[in-house]
Structures are given as C-alpha cells and as structure tokens.
Amino acid sequence: MEQQLEIFSAKPKEVRQHNNLIFAPFAMGSVESKIFISMLERINRTDTEFPLWRIPLSEILPRKDGDSYEHLKKAAVALKSQVIDIAPVDPMNPNRKRFRLRSIVDKCDHDSGTGFLLCQFHPDVKEYLLNLIDNYTPADLATLKMFKDERTVRFYWMLRARFRYEESRMAKTSTVSETVKIQITVEECRNCLLKDIKSYPNPKDIKRHILEKVVKPEIDKTDCAFEFGDPVKQGNKTLAWTFIRRSGSVTVLPLEPLRISAKLIDALEGMPLDSKGIRRISDALCMDTDGFEASEAFVWFLLHKLTTSKDKDKIASPGGQLIRWIEDRKFKTEFLKKTKTPSSSSTPSPEIVTYSETELIEMHQNAMKRKRTSLDFAAWVKEIYLNNGFERQKIDNVWYVVKEK
C-alpha cells in the first residue's frame, strides 16, 4: 500500500523514446497504447532499472462494461508477447539486412481485487527508454493523452522524430526556411499504423482512410500540424509521403481544469448539456458576485428543482434553462434561505470534505478524457486540492485529500 504514495510524487510532463523504437515495425491497439503511455509516464529520468508499477485500472479503462476485462486481458497478452525488430535503418544503405529482436513488456498482470495493473518493461528495451542522451524524441504527455485514436499517438511520435531531425539538420547547415519538409515511407506507415499489415494493400487507401480521415484532424491541433506535399514515386508506385510543417506551429493544449466534481459533470452531461455549457457553469462557480458565493450545492439544488418541476416536459432546453437559473438572483436568494447558516447559539460540527485516492484518479481521468486539463495527475491534485486548503492524510492504509470547512 505504501506504493500508493507514488501518485502524489512529481511526474514528468514529457516522455521520451529512442528513435529506433519509435520507428520499429509494430502497431498497438487502443488499450495496449494506453498501458504503454501509462508505463512511459512513470519512468524517472534517474532510473537505471525498470520498477514494477501499479497502474490504476481507471487510467486504462475509464468506462467499465461487460467486456472491459476481456479487452484488458487481450491487450496484456499482446504486449507481453510483442517481439519487435529495433534494428536501425542505415540511410546510406537502406537495403542492408539485419535485425535486433527485443521484447517490450516483461510483466502485465491484473492485481485482482485492488483495481491495479502490475506492469514492468522488459530489460531488453532499457537502452531505448532509460538514460537517453541522444537520438531520442520527447513528447508532451498531455498531448499524447488527448488523442482519441491509438494510430494518431503512434504517428505523432514519428512526425516529431522526423521534424526534429530535419530542423537540426537545417540548423547545422544554416538553412533558412518558413517550412519544414519530411518524408515517411509507405512501409513505415503500414508497419506502425496497421495491426494487419496486409490490410490496405493500396497506399492510396492508407492515406485516404487513416492519414487523412483519422490522424490528420487530431494532429492538426498540435505542434506537428501538417499539410501533404508531393508524394515520392517510382513510376506509378508511391514509395513515401511528404509532410510539410510550417514554422511557429503551437501545441493547442486542453482547457484548464473544471472546478466541479466528476459526479456533477456526469449529471450535467445527462441533461444533456454540452462542454461549452458545462464550462460556463464551472466558471460561474469560481466567481463571487452580488455577495453570493456559488457552490456545487447550488447547482444540485437547481438540478433537483428542474427535474421535479411540473413543467419540465415543456422545457425545450433543460441545459439552457439551468444556466439561466444559475444567473438569476431570485434562485440564489431562495437557495440561501433554504440553507441558512444556524444561529451563533448553536455550534455546528465542522464539515469535512474528503476524496480518496481512487476518487481523485477517476476525476482526473474524467478531466483528461474530456480535454479539460493538460496537467498530469500529481500537478492536478496539487493545483485543484493541495493549493486550496486540502491536506494529504492516510486513513486505514488509504490516501485521502482532506479539508475542514
């Protein structure tokens, strides 16, 4: 249980991979990719060996259903059995035949009854993940986690690696250009994006159905936003695609964290209320206007009022109605009367607000999934709770953040 304290320790906002691992020919499924990123996230810059990490299942499976654990098992089996060829390609002799077979993951076990996955990288990949000095590519953790498709994650790493190499080469040759052009071969794309490399035998289909339809819309929100250049061809055969990144591209990070609980967010989405409306409510709760200190209790009060209203079936937009009520002074007055503070003659016991480690993990994953925070878990806990009067306490071997109102 002491290992649970790890989640409160500082974690890097940036993760790294050796370029030979980035371009190694293997593809991952959705759950495999999430496990892999969660493991990368836990690597410390000073590590010389891979520890055994305990990863909360809520990081991997935000929504649990009947098939969740079956998907988890299949992903664990795939990672455990994955043997890849990490032999680098020699630019001067690309047809040179050689191989370096490496296993990626040594352990990936479900710790039954605890809600954790026990994971450890294989010693084979130490040189590709630990103590990296050169020939590696870093990536922003928040950017990786905001991608919805695992193929985007894989391709983003490839783009960053090639763009960084080309920028370095241009800098050494004093080349000045507004754009950066790179090439990624059809074979590299096929090996890294397709679980079945025999699917999409026509390169045009890979570009049309994966690169253009799935990958590009997500990557265009990052520092690797690109346009397609002229393909590299040999006769009618496409050998590689050209990707052009304009200088000055800036990563578009998710919004700052919503300051309302995951439970309230779920209730608001069920109305339904879109992300813009939820953001508006969250912002209202952070303001102190007209002497009224808004709180989640006020929103729950209005939700109850709305759902029990005799005219609820006549309300065309419950979400819009709720926002209007939040901004209406008469409802604030009604709420304050119903929750009037006891007189000084009585001595109410202080209200204790607590969130367990499991609840915090769930709320953070909810915020990450809905792109409401760019912070890693430790930084998020610090900003939202520890910087606002909460303290860490260990009760019956479980970590909580606690605040006395």
Side-chain angles (χ1 to χ4, degrees):
M1 296 299 292
E2 287 298 326
Q3 253 180 307
Q4 290 177 323
L5 185 58
E6 174 198 8
I7 66 169
F8 289 105
S9 61
K11 291 183 182 178
K13 293 185 179 180
E14 182 183 86
V15 288
R16 302 178 174 191
Q17 286 189 72
H18 195 283
N19 292 335
N20 290 346
L21 178 57
I22 290 174
F23 283 92
F26 70 97
M28 290 185 178
S30 176
V31 181
E32 295 164 60
S33 180
K34 289 178 181 178
I35 295 173
F36 185 73
I37 291 175
S38 291
M39 293 174 72
L40 284 182
E41 179 182 359
R42 285 163 169 78
I43 293 177
N44 192 296
R45 296 279 176 85
T46 59
D47 285 344
T48 56
E49 301 290 340
F50 292 122
L52 181 64
W53 294 299
R54 300 174 71 245
I55 300 175
L57 292 185
S58 55
E59 274 189 37
I60 313 301
L61 302 170
R63 291 175 183 263
K64 296 184 179 65
D65 54 40
D67 298 325
S68 293
Y69 288 98
E70 191 59 36
H71 293 323
L72 184 67
K73 183 179 179 180
K74 287 181 179 179
V77 169
L79 283 173
K80 185 75 172 61
S81 60
Q82 185 83 263
V83 177
I84 60 176
D85 182 3
I86 315 185
V89 175
D90 185 351
M92 304 302 295
N93 187 6
N95 295 321
R96 180 182 176 187
K97 302 297 182 183
R98 56 178 171 171
F99 57 84
R100 291 182 185 173
L101 302 182
R102 300 288 187 271
S103 296
I104 300 179
V105 171
D106 187 39
K107 291 184 176 64
C108 193
D109 303 325
H110 177 212
D111 192 9
S112 180
T114 67
F116 287 90
L117 200 64
L118 304 181
C119 298
Q120 188 173 39
F121 279 119
H122 198 282
D124 278 0
V125 291
K126 283 200 297 184
E127 63 182 301
Y128 303 101
L129 294 174
L130 300 183
N131 297 318
L132 299 178
I133 299 174
D134 56 15
N135 199 24
Y136 70 86
T137 298
D140 178 69
L141 188 60
T143 301
L144 294 175
K145 287 190 173 183
M146 76 180 187
F147 292 138
K148 296 179 181 178
D149 194 284
E150 66 277 5
R151 292 167 294 188
T152 307
V153 176
R154 195 83 167 87
F155 200 72
Y156 176 75
W157 277 106
M158 296 166 67
L159 283 175
R160 277 188 64 83
R162 288 283 160 84
F163 279 136
R164 278 169 58 85
Y165 174 81
E166 183 60 19
E167 287 173 338
S168 175
R169 188 193 66 78
M170 292 168 63
K172 289 177 182 178
T173 59
S174 301
T175 304
V176 179
S177 174
E178 292 184 357
T179 61
V180 180
K181 293 184 180 182
I182 62 167
Q183 292 174 357
I184 298 179
T185 69
V186 172
E187 184 181 6
E188 287 172 329
C189 290
R190 179 174 280 116
N191 287 335
C192 294
L193 298 177
L194 303 178
K195 292 283 283 184
D196 178 5
I197 61 173
K198 294 182 180 180
S199 60
Y200 298 109
N202 190 334
K204 289 183 179 179
D205 291 332
I206 298 177
K207 183 182 178 186
R208 182 185 302 115
H209 296 297
I210 299 179
L211 294 178
E212 292 182 341
K213 187 176 180 180
V214 178
V215 171
K216 191 176 189 302
E218 291 197 296
I219 289 183
D220 277 352
K221 299 175 183 178
T222 75
D223 57 334
C224 286
F226 66 87
E227 300 296 334
F228 287 102
D230 294 332
V232 179
K233 290 192 171 186
Q234 187 178 66
N236 292 327
K237 184 180 181 180
T238 301
L239 301 179
W241 288 291
T242 301
F243 302 89
I244 305 172
R245 190 189 76 180
R246 299 205 168 272
S247 60
S249 296
V250 179
T251 302
V252 179
L253 293 176
L255 294 170
E256 286 302 305
L258 289 175
R259 299 180 184 273
I260 54 180
S261 68
K263 186 176 181 180
L264 179 54
I265 290 172
D266 288 339
L268 294 173
E269 287 184 332
M271 297 194 60
L273 193 63
D274 62 19
S275 58
K276 186 177 180 180
I278 294 174
R279 168 66 56 182
R280 190 170 168 183
I281 289 174
S282 176
D283 291 342
L285 296 187
C286 296
M287 298 171 64
D288 185 1
T289 58
D290 300 327
F292 174 77
E293 185 177 352
S295 67
E296 282 201 17
F298 178 53
V299 181
W300 286 112
F301 165 76
L302 293 179
L303 274 172
H304 177 73
K305 192 177 186 68
L306 189 63
T307 54
T308 57
S309 170
K310 294 180 180 179
D311 300 323
K312 65 178 181 179
D313 294 333
K314 299 178 182 180
I315 299 174
S317 174
Q321 185 69 57
L322 180 67
I323 291 174
R324 287 191 290 273
W325 282 4
I326 286 176
E327 297 171 350
D328 192 324
R329 183 184 300 222
K330 72 177 182 181
F331 289 109
K332 295 178 182 179
T333 302
E334 182 181 345
F335 171 72
L336 289 172
K337 285 181 179 179
K338 287 183 176 291
T339 57
K340 186 177 179 181
T341 304
S343 63
S344 57
S345 59
S346 61
T347 308
S349 58
E351 181 184 355
I352 305 295
V353 181
T354 62
Y355 295 105
S356 69
E357 174 189 308
T358 303
E359 290 173 317
L360 291 171
I361 292 171
E362 182 179 350
M363 288 189 284
H364 178 252
Q365 288 301 315
N366 201 319
M368 291 290 294
K369 180 176 64 178
R370 295 184 170 93
K371 300 179 183 178
R372 290 173 181 143
T373 184
S374 60
L375 301 175
D376 62 28
F377 181 78
W380 179 81
V381 170
K382 183 177 180 181
E383 176 170 313
I384 303 301
Y385 296 98
L386 302 184
N387 288 349
N388 289 287
F390 283 82
E391 296 181 351
R392 283 174 23 218
Q393 289 187 20
K394 193 172 185 180
I395 306 171
D396 294 331
N397 284 326
V398 177
W399 284 102
Y400 293 82
V401 290
V402 180
K403 182 178 182 180
E404 186 175 294
K405 283 191 174 182

